[in-house]
Coordinates of all heavy atoms in Angstrom, one line a residue:
N1 N 143.2 -153.6 -88.9 CA 142.9 -154.0 -90.3 C 142.5 -155.4 -90.4 O 142.2 -155.9 -91.5 CB 144.1 -153.7 -91.2 CG 144.4 -152.2 -91.3 OD1 143.5 -151.4 -91.3 ND2 145.7 -151.8 -91.4
S2 N 142.3 -156.1 -89.3 CA 141.8 -157.5 -89.4 C 140.3 -157.4 -89.7 O 139.7 -156.4 -89.7 CB 142.1 -158.3 -88.1 OG 141.5 -157.6 -87.0
Y3 N 139.7 -158.6 -90.0 CA 138.4 -158.6 -90.6 C 137.3 -157.9 -89.8 O 136.6 -157.0 -90.3 CB 138.0 -160.0 -90.9 CG 136.7 -160.1 -91.7 CD1 136.7 -160.0 -93.1 CD2 135.5 -160.1 -91.0 CE1 135.5 -159.9 -93.8 CE2 134.3 -160.1 -91.7 CZ 134.3 -160.0 -93.1 OH 133.1 -160.0 -93.8
L4 N 137.1 -158.3 -88.6 CA 136.0 -157.8 -87.8 C 136.1 -156.3 -87.5 O 135.2 -155.5 -87.7 CB 135.8 -158.6 -86.5 CG 134.4 -158.7 -86.0 CD1 133.5 -159.2 -87.0 CD2 134.3 -159.6 -84.8
P5 N 137.3 -155.8 -87.1 CA 137.4 -154.3 -86.9 C 137.2 -153.6 -88.2 O 136.5 -152.5 -88.2 CB 138.9 -154.1 -86.4 CG 139.2 -155.4 -85.8 CD 138.5 -156.5 -86.6
S6 N 137.6 -154.1 -89.3 CA 137.3 -153.5 -90.6 C 135.8 -153.5 -91.0 O 135.3 -152.5 -91.5 CB 138.1 -154.2 -91.8 OG 139.5 -154.0 -91.5
A7 N 135.2 -154.6 -90.7 CA 133.7 -154.7 -91.0 C 132.9 -153.7 -90.2 O 131.9 -153.2 -90.7 CB 133.2 -156.1 -90.7
F8 N 133.3 -153.4 -89.0 CA 132.6 -152.4 -88.1 C 133.3 -151.1 -88.1 O 133.1 -150.3 -87.2 CB 132.4 -153.0 -86.7 CG 131.5 -154.1 -86.7 CD1 131.9 -155.4 -86.8 CD2 130.1 -153.9 -86.6 CE1 131.0 -156.5 -86.7 CE2 129.2 -155.0 -86.5 CZ 129.7 -156.3 -86.6
S9 N 134.2 -150.8 -89.0 CA 135.0 -149.5 -89.0 C 134.1 -148.3 -89.0 O 134.5 -147.2 -88.5 CB 136.0 -149.5 -90.1 OG 135.3 -149.5 -91.4
H10 N 132.9 -148.4 -89.6 CA 132.0 -147.2 -89.6 C 131.5 -146.8 -88.2 O 131.0 -145.7 -88.0 CB 130.8 -147.4 -90.5 CG 130.0 -148.6 -90.1 ND1 130.3 -149.9 -90.3 CD2 128.8 -148.6 -89.6 CE1 129.4 -150.7 -89.9 NE2 128.4 -150.0 -89.4
C11 N 131.7 -147.7 -87.2 CA 131.2 -147.5 -85.9 C 132.4 -147.2 -84.9 O 132.2 -147.0 -83.7 CB 130.5 -148.7 -85.3 SG 129.1 -149.3 -86.3
K12 N 133.6 -147.1 -85.5 CA 134.8 -147.0 -84.7 C 134.9 -145.7 -83.8 O 134.6 -144.6 -84.3 CB 136.0 -147.0 -85.6 CG 137.4 -147.1 -84.8 CD 138.6 -147.0 -85.7 CE 138.5 -147.6 -87.0 NZ 139.8 -147.6 -87.7
V13 N 135.3 -145.9 -82.6 CA 135.5 -144.7 -81.7 C 136.9 -145.0 -81.0 O 137.1 -146.0 -80.4 CB 134.4 -144.6 -80.6 CG1 134.8 -143.5 -79.6 CG2 133.1 -144.4 -81.2
H14 N 137.8 -144.1 -81.2 CA 139.1 -144.2 -80.5 C 138.9 -143.8 -79.0 O 138.4 -142.7 -78.8 CB 140.2 -143.4 -81.2 CG 140.6 -143.9 -82.5 ND1 141.4 -145.0 -82.6 CD2 140.2 -143.5 -83.7 CE1 141.6 -145.2 -83.9 NE2 140.9 -144.4 -84.6
M15 N 139.3 -144.7 -78.1 CA 139.2 -144.4 -76.7 C 140.5 -144.2 -76.0 O 141.4 -145.0 -76.2 CB 138.4 -145.5 -76.0 CG 137.0 -145.7 -76.4 SD 136.0 -144.3 -75.9 CE 136.2 -144.3 -74.1
I16 N 140.5 -143.2 -75.2 CA 141.6 -142.9 -74.3 C 141.0 -142.9 -72.9 O 140.0 -142.2 -72.7 CB 142.4 -141.6 -74.6 CG1 142.9 -141.7 -76.0 CG2 143.4 -141.3 -73.6 CD1 143.5 -140.4 -76.6
P17 N 141.6 -143.6 -71.9 CA 141.0 -143.5 -70.6 C 140.9 -142.1 -70.1 O 141.8 -141.3 -70.2 CB 142.0 -144.3 -69.7 CG 142.7 -145.2 -70.7 CD 142.8 -144.5 -72.0
Q18 N 139.7 -141.8 -69.6 CA 139.4 -140.4 -69.2 C 139.6 -140.2 -67.7 O 139.5 -139.1 -67.2 CB 137.9 -140.1 -69.5 CG 137.6 -140.1 -71.0 CD 138.4 -139.1 -71.8 OE1 138.5 -138.0 -71.4 NE2 139.1 -139.6 -72.9
R19 N 139.9 -141.3 -66.9 CA 140.0 -141.2 -65.5 C 141.5 -141.5 -65.1 O 142.1 -142.3 -65.8 CB 139.1 -142.2 -64.8 CG 137.7 -142.1 -65.1 CD 137.1 -140.9 -64.3 NE 135.7 -140.7 -64.6 CZ 134.7 -141.1 -63.9 NH1 134.9 -141.7 -62.7 NH2 133.4 -140.9 -64.3
P20 N 142.0 -140.9 -64.1 CA 143.4 -141.2 -63.6 C 143.4 -142.7 -63.2 O 142.5 -143.3 -62.8 CB 143.6 -140.3 -62.4 CG 142.5 -139.3 -62.4 CD 141.4 -139.9 -63.3
R21 N 144.6 -143.3 -63.4 CA 144.8 -144.7 -63.1 C 144.5 -145.0 -61.6 O 143.8 -146.0 -61.3 CB 146.3 -145.0 -63.3 CG 146.6 -146.5 -63.0 CD 148.1 -146.8 -63.3 NE 148.3 -148.1 -62.9 CZ 149.3 -148.9 -63.4 NH1 150.0 -148.4 -64.4 NH2 149.5 -150.1 -62.9
A22 N 144.8 -144.1 -60.7 CA 144.5 -144.4 -59.3 C 143.0 -144.5 -59.0 O 142.6 -145.3 -58.3 CB 145.1 -143.3 -58.4
E23 N 142.3 -143.6 -59.7 CA 140.8 -143.7 -59.6 C 140.2 -145.0 -60.1 O 139.3 -145.6 -59.6 CB 140.2 -142.5 -60.3 CG 138.7 -142.3 -60.0 CD 138.2 -141.0 -60.6 OE1 138.9 -140.0 -60.7 OE2 137.0 -141.0 -61.0
M24 N 140.8 -145.4 -61.3 CA 140.3 -146.7 -61.8 C 140.7 -147.9 -60.9 O 139.9 -148.8 -60.8 CB 140.9 -146.9 -63.2 CG 140.4 -146.0 -64.3 SD 140.9 -146.4 -65.9 CE 142.5 -145.5 -66.0
E25 N 141.9 -147.8 -60.3 CA 142.3 -148.9 -59.4 C 141.3 -149.0 -58.2 O 141.0 -150.0 -57.7 CB 143.7 -148.7 -59.0 CG 144.7 -149.1 -60.1 CD 146.1 -148.8 -59.7 OE1 146.4 -148.1 -58.6 OE2 147.0 -149.1 -60.5
Q26 N 141.0 -147.8 -57.6 CA 140.1 -147.8 -56.5 C 138.7 -148.3 -56.9 O 138.1 -149.1 -56.1 CB 139.9 -146.3 -56.0 CG 141.1 -145.8 -55.3 CD 140.9 -144.4 -54.9 OE1 140.0 -143.7 -55.3 NE2 141.9 -143.9 -54.1
Y27 N 138.2 -148.0 -58.1 CA 136.9 -148.5 -58.5 C 137.0 -150.0 -58.6 O 136.1 -150.7 -58.1 CB 136.6 -147.9 -59.9 CG 135.4 -148.5 -60.6 CD1 134.1 -148.1 -60.2 CD2 135.5 -149.4 -61.6 CE1 133.0 -148.6 -60.8 CE2 134.4 -150.0 -62.2 CZ 133.2 -149.6 -61.8 OH 132.1 -150.1 -62.4
L28 N 138.0 -150.6 -59.2 CA 138.1 -152.0 -59.4 C 138.3 -152.7 -58.0 O 137.8 -153.8 -57.8 CB 139.2 -152.4 -60.3 CG 139.0 -152.0 -61.8 CD1 140.2 -152.3 -62.6 CD2 137.8 -152.8 -62.4
Q29 N 139.1 -152.1 -57.1 CA 139.3 -152.6 -55.8 C 138.0 -152.7 -55.1 O 137.7 -153.7 -54.4 CB 140.3 -151.8 -55.0 CG 140.7 -152.3 -53.7 CD 141.7 -151.5 -53.0 OE1 142.0 -150.4 -53.4 NE2 142.4 -152.1 -52.0
R30 N 137.1 -151.8 -55.2 CA 135.8 -151.8 -54.5 C 135.0 -153.0 -55.0 O 134.3 -153.6 -54.2 CB 135.1 -150.5 -54.7 CG 133.7 -150.4 -54.1 CD 133.0 -149.1 -54.2 NE 133.2 -148.3 -55.4 CZ 133.9 -147.2 -55.6 NH1 134.5 -146.7 -54.6 NH2 134.0 -146.6 -56.8
H31 N 135.1 -153.3 -56.2 CA 134.3 -154.4 -56.8 C 134.9 -155.8 -56.6 O 134.2 -156.8 -56.6 CB 134.0 -154.2 -58.3 CG 133.0 -153.1 -58.5 ND1 131.6 -153.3 -58.3 CD2 133.1 -151.8 -58.9 CE1 131.0 -152.2 -58.5 NE2 131.8 -151.3 -58.9
F32 N 136.3 -155.9 -56.5 CA 136.9 -157.2 -56.4 C 137.3 -157.6 -55.0 O 137.9 -158.6 -54.8 CB 138.1 -157.2 -57.4 CG 137.8 -157.3 -58.8 CD1 138.3 -156.3 -59.7 CD2 137.0 -158.3 -59.3 CE1 137.9 -156.4 -61.1 CE2 136.6 -158.4 -60.6 CZ 137.1 -157.4 -61.5
Q33 N 137.0 -156.8 -54.0 CA 137.4 -157.1 -52.7 C 136.4 -158.0 -52.0 O 135.2 -157.8 -52.1 CB 137.6 -155.8 -51.8 CG 138.3 -156.1 -50.5 CD 138.8 -154.8 -49.9 OE1 138.1 -153.8 -50.0 NE2 139.9 -154.8 -49.3
V34 N 136.9 -159.1 -51.4 CA 136.0 -160.1 -50.8 C 135.9 -159.7 -49.3 O 136.9 -159.5 -48.6 CB 136.6 -161.5 -50.9 CG1 135.8 -162.5 -50.2 CG2 136.7 -161.9 -52.4
A35 N 134.6 -159.6 -48.9 CA 134.4 -159.2 -47.5 C 134.8 -160.2 -46.5 O 135.4 -159.9 -45.5 CB 132.9 -158.9 -47.3
Q36 N 134.5 -161.5 -46.7 CA 134.8 -162.6 -45.8 C 135.8 -163.5 -46.6 O 135.3 -164.5 -47.2 CB 133.5 -163.3 -45.4 CG 132.5 -162.5 -44.7 CD 133.0 -162.0 -43.3 OE1 133.8 -162.7 -42.7 NE2 132.6 -160.8 -42.9

């Protein structure tokens, strides 16, 4: 109900993660792992 979410409320989409936590962790690990 704060200003900006209310101003864009006509565009609102409620999101629930669609992937299992383990799969999300693997995805982020692939991108955040330093090779050297």
